Amino acid sequence: MKHKRQRRSDCPINYALEAIGDPWSLLIIRDIVYFGKKTYGEFLASDEKIATNILADRLALLEQKGIIEKRPSDSDKRKETFSLTEKGLDLIPILAEMANWSAAHDPQTGAPPAWIALMNSDKEKMLRLMRQTVQDGRAIFAGPHSLVSEFL
């Protein structure tokens, strides 16, 4: 799939929106960071029910933009795993701010209050820990070695 699109402008907000501005791309990045999802099937199983063609398109776009990278799975060479690049890891503070904003303004938020309080108590430390956790192949909320299991 080719994703060579003409940029609308050189505005930095426009650049970000063209790279990650659709909801599906941000949800894929969320799934990697917060839930440790790595495979096409795991992304497909998310609550939002992304269509297979859209998932394939967004994964290709995120890879083309240098936000994720694809590798053969260690356990099954027929499968591929996806992870964040350095450029993708740089999105973690943006995701955290979006989550904090949503938790403050959405009365039905699914964000754990204790996690939001922890994030707000020492944001810089928590952002460093989030980045290191994802770099280590772990997740914020899921798995036995999740970041949340260390704090809450």
Side-chain angles (χ1 to χ4, degrees):
M1 260 175 242
K2 295 277 188 230
H3 287 94
K4 268 297 198 214
R5 297 179 182 139
Q6 184 89 12
R7 286 174 67 162
R8 288 193 235 347
S9 75
D10 292 332
C11 167
I13 302 292
N14 180 66
Y15 176 84
L17 291 174
E18 287 185 0
I20 55 149
D22 69 278
W24 296 118
S25 293
L26 287 170
L27 291 172
I28 291 167
I29 296 164
R30 174 215 55 194
D31 282 351
I32 293 170
V33 171
Y34 288 101
F35 304 112
K37 295 184 179 187
K38 294 175 173 45
T39 66
Y40 184 90
E42 289 171 338
F43 298 127
L44 203 56
S46 294
D47 289 343
E48 291 82 11
K49 307 288 186 226
I50 187 170
T52 57
N53 61 321
I54 293 174
L55 176 58
D57 180 70
R58 292 318 183 275
L59 289 170
L61 178 65
L62 289 169
E63 186 179 14
Q64 186 261 326
K65 296 283 187 180
I67 294 168
I68 63 171
E69 59 188 359
K70 175 174 57 175
R71 292 191 186 120
S73 170
D74 292 335
S75 61
D76 183 350
K77 297 298 181 202
R78 296 170 297 172
K79 289 186 178 182
E80 297 168 326
T81 60
F82 298 89
S83 60
L84 294 178
T85 62
E86 286 296 314
K87 186 176 179 179
L89 289 165
D90 287 344
L91 292 168
I92 289 173
I94 295 167
L95 284 181
E97 286 301 328
M98 290 176 73
N100 288 345
W101 180 86
S102 295
H105 296 286
D106 177 8
Q108 297 177 19
T109 186
W115 173 255
I116 297 299
L118 184 60
M119 282 297 300
N120 289 328
S121 70
D122 193 346
K123 194 172 289 181
E124 291 305 312
K125 174 186 173 187
M126 293 309 297
L127 290 173
R128 279 193 310 277
L129 288 171
M130 287 176 72
R131 184 182 184 101
Q132 189 60 54
T133 298
V134 176
Q135 280 180 306
D136 293 346
R138 298 179 295 130
I140 305 309
F141 290 125
H145 303 290
S146 69
L147 183 58
V148 162
S149 68
E150 296 177 20
F151 285 94
L152 303 180

